[in-house]
Amino acid sequence: DAGVTQSPTHLIKTRGQQVTLRCSPKSGHDTVSWYQQALGQGPQFIFQYYEEEERQRGNFPDRFSGHQFPNYSSELNVNALLLGDSALYLCASSLAGTGNSPLHFGNGTRLTVT
Amino acid sequence: AQSVTQPDIHITVSEGASLELRCNYSYGATPYLFWYVQSPGQGLQLLLKYFSGDTLVQGIKGFEAEFKRSQSSFNLRKPSVHWSDAAEYFCAVGEGSARQLTFGSGTQLTVLP
């Protein structure tokens, strides 16, 4: 049973560039959430996708956008990269319904902005 | 808005000793509470969760946590720590669901042989 998979594992970009990160949810899950984890910090909620729509959003600027595909996989896009966007980006999946389905996390994509 | 405080940034224990990691939260209603563990270069693994009912919850790897509403706490415990428990531990709270979580800043656990 495949868990949450993310690609790529590492990425180096230059300020001002754009980046796309990808996530495949755990088998059977239909909801995908994205979190940003800066060095030495806990993860911070970016947004959540369900039925191909953004359902909830944390305190992140519009430079952060996403997409969910019919097969439940998801992309996180970040435009006009800043040095402060350097972080571990974590994807988590869960099952919609009662809200009791806990998040299952992938191993993350380490983004470095130079 | 909810918040989570993990007052201990770093804890060192000897292998075989008991462990308690502290977590305090701020949230008006009954929260959804979680403990996750993160090894270097890895994602987060769920140790245990509390939604309702019995305030003492058992998790994986021999961990347990107790929800104390009067103290707004959800401390994680293990009676005997193993070297493989060395990792970073995060407490998290969900507002009415398990999907949108607010995490604490984490506690780094070092285990001495």
Side-chain angles (χ1 to χ4, degrees):
Chain A
D1 178 20
V4 179
T5 58
Q6 293 186 242
S7 63
T9 54
H10 294 82
L11 205 50
I12 300 175
K13 289 287 188 178
T14 304
R15 274 179 301 175
Q17 286 188 318
Q18 178 266 343
V19 69
T20 298
L21 311 182
R22 295 176 176 83
C23 171
S24 292
K26 177 181 169 67
S27 177
H29 284 182
D30 55 9
T31 301
V32 173
S33 303
W34 287 92
Y35 285 77
Q36 180 195 65
Q37 186 179 18
L39 200 60
Q41 302 293 318
Q44 283 193 290
F45 176 74
I46 303 175
F47 44 52
Q48 178 193 94
Y49 277 82
Y50 171 62
E51 291 186 329
E52 302 179 47
E53 290 188 15
E54 182 182 297
R55 299 292 177 169
Q56 292 173 296
R57 189 178 183 93
N59 188 24
F60 279 81
D62 292 345
R63 297 187 298 108
F64 289 77
S65 63
H67 189 78
Q68 186 181 34
F69 299 93
N71 67 353
Y72 309 121
S73 67
S74 177
E75 289 182 348
L76 164 66
N77 301 292
V78 187
N79 294 323
L81 284 167
L82 305 173
L83 294 179
D85 295 331
S86 295
L88 180 68
Y89 288 85
L90 295 164
C91 172
S93 70
S94 59
L95 190 60
T98 64
N100 290 351
S101 172
L103 297 177
H104 291 252
F105 284 84
N107 287 338
T109 294
R110 172 72 63 186
L111 173 64
T112 301
V113 182
T114 62
Chain B
Q2 67 265 40
S3 65
V4 179
T5 302
Q6 294 182 247
D8 304 305
I9 297 172
H10 196 173
I11 284 183
T12 300
V13 300
S14 297
E15 191 168 19
S18 63
L19 172 70
E20 182 169 26
L21 303 183
R22 296 182 291 164
C23 172
N24 292 95
Y25 66 90
S26 172
Y27 179 60
T30 299
Y32 286 48
L33 294 162
F34 306 83
W35 276 98
Y36 283 87
V37 60
Q38 185 177 37
S39 297
Q42 301 293 310
L44 296 130
Q45 181 183 22
L46 178 68
L47 287 176
L48 46 78
K49 61 186 183 291
Y50 172 79
F51 296 153
S52 63
D54 192 349
T55 57
L56 184 63
V57 293
Q58 302 296 321
I60 62 171
K61 304 185 179 185
F63 286 93
E64 67 177 25
E66 186 171 13
F67 170 58
K68 293 186 177 179
R69 183 188 302 276
S70 61
Q71 298 176 20
S72 296
S73 69
F74 189 57
N75 294 349
L76 181 71
R77 300 193 295 250
K78 187 171 185 177
S80 177
V81 171
H82 187 262
W83 64 265
S84 61
D85 294 325
E88 187 147 28
Y89 291 78
F90 291 95
C91 180
V93 61
E95 182 178 346
S97 84
R99 297 191 203 111
Q100 182 175 349
L101 301 184
T102 298
F103 283 84
S105 55
T107 297
Q108 182 68 47
L109 174 66
T110 297
V111 181
L112 300 177

